[in-house]
Amino acid sequence: MVTDKMAQALNEQINAELYSAYLYLAMASWAGTQGMRGASSWFFVQAREEMTHVWRFYDYISSQGRQVILDAVEKPPADFETMMKAFEETLAHEQKVTGLINDLVATARTENDNATAIFLQWYVTEQVEEEESVGEIIDQLKLAGDEGGGLLMIDRELGTRVFSMPADLAAGA
Ligand code: FEO
C-alpha cells in the first residue's frame, strides 16, 4: 500500500489531470466558435485523453486500497485569442504537467515506493510524446501562418486526429 504522503500526491495529480481535460474542453469549444472545426476536434480528443489519464490514476489509487479524494477543479479560461496562443498555452500547460509528474516520481523515490515509481513511468513517456506533438503543431503554425489558407490547411490536418481508448482501460481494469 502506498504511504499517506504518496496517496495525497497521487490524488492531487487527479485534480491536475481533470483540470487538463477541462482546459482542453474549453479550447475545443472556443476553436469551434472560431470556425476551426479540425482544431476543435483535436482539442476534444485531447480532453478525452486527459480523462484516460484521470482513470489510470483512479485505478492505481484504488488498486492500492486507497480512496480517491476529489477536489474542486479550477475554472479554465474561455478566450484563447488565436490558434497559435491556444497551442502555446497547451505546450506551457503540458510542460507544467511534466514537472508535476517529475515531482511525483521524486516523491515515490523518497517514499521508497518502487511500485508507484514504475507506474509513473507510463506518464513520463506520455509527457514526452505530448510535448513533442504540440511542439510540432506550433512549428507548423509558425511556418504556415496563424491565419488564412495556411491555418485552414493545418486545421484540416488537426481534424484527422482520432481518439482511441487504451486497451487496459477499455477492459475496465
Ligand atoms: Fe495528462 Fe496532457 O497530461
Side-chain angles (χ1 to χ4, degrees):
M1 191 190 252
V2 296
T3 61
D4 288 352
K5 186 176 174 185
M6 195 74 249
Q8 189 184 336
L10 291 167
N11 267 304
E12 283 169 8
Q13 188 62 27
I14 284 204
N15 190 266
E17 301 290 346
L18 281 169
Y19 178 76
S20 300
Y22 229 37
L23 176 66
Y24 298 135
L25 206 51
M27 286 182 176
S29 187
W30 169 81
T33 62
Q34 305 301 303
M36 299 287 107
R37 294 210 176 104
S40 177
S41 167
W42 190 96
F43 281 118
F44 197 76
V45 170
Q46 184 75 4
R48 295 179 79 186
E49 279 199 1
E50 294 300 343
M51 286 310 298
T52 69
H53 298 175
V54 172
W55 297 330
R56 204 173 281 283
F57 275 109
Y58 179 100
D59 283 348
Y60 184 70
I61 292 168
S62 302
S63 76
Q64 290 287 326
R66 291 288 190 166
Q67 186 180 352
V68 170
I69 310 286
L70 296 173
D71 206 344
V73 181
E74 191 190 325
K75 180 181 175 177
D79 184 4
F80 300 94
E81 297 181 43
T82 67
M83 211 50 68
M84 179 68 95
K85 283 189 179 168
F87 279 101
E88 281 174 346
E89 188 163 340
T90 298
L91 181 59
H93 181 69
E94 288 305 325
Q95 287 167 340
K96 188 176 154 196
V97 172
T98 298
L100 293 175
I101 297 294
N102 286 336
D103 289 347
L104 281 176
V105 172
T107 302
R109 289 205 182 113
T110 57
E111 295 297 289
N112 197 22
D113 185 345
N114 213 24
T116 300
I118 290 169
F119 163 74
L120 290 169
Q121 288 312 300
W122 184 92
Y123 286 90
V124 172
T125 306
E126 174 71 7
Q127 285 310 120
V128 173
E129 287 172 11
E130 292 217 348
E131 285 189 33
E132 187 184 9
S133 71
V134 177
E136 281 171 8
I137 294 166
I138 292 171
D139 286 346
Q140 285 175 6
L141 284 168
K142 279 183 189 155
L143 280 172
D146 193 14
E147 57 187 349
L151 180 59
L152 275 177
M153 207 174 66
I154 292 171
D155 187 63
R156 210 169 300 137
E157 196 183 319
L158 289 171
T160 62
R161 182 185 185 188
V162 289
F163 173 77
S164 61
M165 179 68 92
D168 56 328
L169 295 177

